[in-house]
Amino acid sequence: MDGHDSEDPKQSTADMTVFVQNLLRQMQSRFQTMSDSIVSKIDEMGHRIDELEQSINDLRNEMGTEGSPSPVAPPKPNPEEAKSSDVPA
């Protein structure tokens, strides 16, 4: 019986080692998958930011070449200036 009992802990240790190795492989695979996904999303965001910057630059160039006013509301005339322009000199 002693021979059988001494083999059982060795087998148990070997089984536990295999189990832990498989678990670590699975975890590594999952972390790699998540890492790849994160890197892919970061690359996609960078590409979208580049496209947005290009669109903004295109709009700026388009506004500059057409000479159109900025989308900001024009300043209201000063009441003092309006009165002085109404009075003939």
Side-chain angles (χ1 to χ4, degrees):
M1 243 186 188
D2 287 335
H4 185 333
D5 289 342
S6 65
E7 289 297 324
D8 195 40
K10 288 181 183 177
Q11 183 61 40
S12 174
T13 302
D15 289 345
M16 184 61 74
T17 301
V18 169
F19 173 78
V20 170
Q21 286 175 340
N22 287 336
L23 186 62
L24 289 173
R25 278 192 208 104
Q26 289 175 0
M27 289 174 61
Q28 182 179 9
S29 174
R30 289 179 184 166
F31 278 116
Q32 187 62 48
T33 300
M34 286 191 322
S35 176
D36 292 345
S37 175
I38 290 169
V39 168
S40 173
K41 290 189 185 296
I42 289 172
D43 287 344
E44 181 182 338
M45 285 175 45
H47 181 69
R48 292 172 77 183
I49 288 171
D50 290 344
E51 287 177 346
L52 182 59
E53 287 176 341
Q54 185 61 47
S55 294
I56 290 170
N57 287 334
D58 291 347
L59 287 172
R60 282 183 176 167
N61 291 337
E62 194 174 298
M63 287 175 58
T65 55
E66 291 178 3
S68 61
S70 68
V72 177
K76 294 182 180 177
N78 188 345
E80 297 285 325
E81 292 174 5
K83 286 180 186 175
S84 64
S85 65
D86 290 341
V87 179

